[in-house]
Amino acid sequence: MEPVPAEACTDPVLADALGHFTTTLGFVPNSLLTMQRVPAIALAVIQLNRAVFAPDGEVDLGLKRLVAHVASTASGCQYCKAHTTVSATRHGVSDEKMAAIYEYATSPLFTPAERAALDFAMEAASVPNAVTDASFAVLAEHWSETQIVELLGVVCMFGVFNRWNDSMATPLEELPLTRAGELLGDQGWTAGKHAPAG
């Protein structure tokens, strides 16, 4: 389904909310431009996004984007993997670390706490769910209950985005298409069904 241009938004509250992404991501995602056909859905997703990525949270915003990337990897959503490549690097994750995301279990660029969070993201986003008592115990060695709720909030929100974008074959915008190609292309990332028309 084709995105509806942001300037075509007739709901003033939603139009204002869409502007938030120009600040945080650098552009308004096509996923939200598709959702705006039902403004209440788009607004609910934006509200969840703001809560999950609240700047006063206890978990680093860059790490939250890496959690989103790994959760999207479990789902296979190339659109969200491209978006989280952009947002992670906009929130302090180095290009080198982003490019090493698929080696996080062994790369010295990742701490044990980050590895536990990323393992949790992969397990929680898998179908069927792969979180076990043992893996949760490892997570709890590094993260407080509040932090675990924040981490799972990211995974759950991207569950919505992964299903939305893969089902709609949402076309990628230029910036995430370019950045994912630069940082992840040699590791097998392709736009797939999210390649822009033309």
Side-chain angles (χ1 to χ4, degrees):
M1 185 178 294
E2 286 299 310
V4 175
E7 54 273 14
C9 182
T10 58
D11 183 305
V13 176
L14 178 56
D16 183 61
L18 290 173
H20 162 80
F21 290 90
T22 303
T23 303
T24 61
L25 196 57
F27 57 92
V28 180
N30 283 337
S31 55
L32 293 172
L33 296 179
T34 303
M35 284 179 202
Q36 76 167 313
R37 287 176 170 86
V38 181
I41 291 175
L43 282 166
V45 170
I46 291 169
Q47 185 175 351
L48 178 59
N49 185 278
R50 285 181 170 170
V52 165
F53 290 137
D56 60 350
E58 294 183 13
V59 178
D60 175 75
L61 290 172
L63 176 60
K64 283 185 175 181
R65 269 55 179 209
L66 294 178
V67 165
H69 189 91
V70 170
S72 298
T73 300
S75 295
C77 182
Q78 304 293 33
Y79 180 93
C80 291
K81 287 166 63 176
H83 271 240
T84 54
T85 299
V86 171
S87 59
T89 56
R90 284 179 63 97
H91 286 88
V93 175
S94 70
D95 285 5
E96 180 186 20
K97 189 170 186 173
M98 188 69 237
I101 188 64
Y102 304 124
E103 289 83 44
Y104 75 83
T106 57
S107 170
L109 298 173
F110 296 85
T111 67
E114 290 172 330
R115 289 185 187 119
L118 297 172
D119 281 344
F120 178 66
M122 183 63 76
E123 294 167 352
S126 294
V127 177
N129 187 288
V131 177
T132 64
D133 289 347
S135 64
F136 193 89
V138 171
L139 181 72
E141 289 174 13
H142 299 280
W143 302 97
S144 71
E145 290 183 350
T146 298
Q147 292 168 330
I148 290 169
V149 167
E150 288 188 25
L151 293 168
L152 187 55
V154 174
V155 173
C156 292
M157 181 181 70
F158 272 82
V160 170
F161 281 130
N162 297 158
R163 281 154 185 77
W164 186 275
N165 291 309
D166 270 352
S167 298
M168 293 291 193
T170 307
L172 268 164
E173 307 81 0
E174 183 177 337
L175 180 59
L177 182 67
T178 300
R179 290 296 280 157
E182 291 169 352
L183 297 177
L184 306 174
D186 64 351
Q187 298 182 58
W189 181 88
T190 63
K193 64 178 163 180
H194 303 287

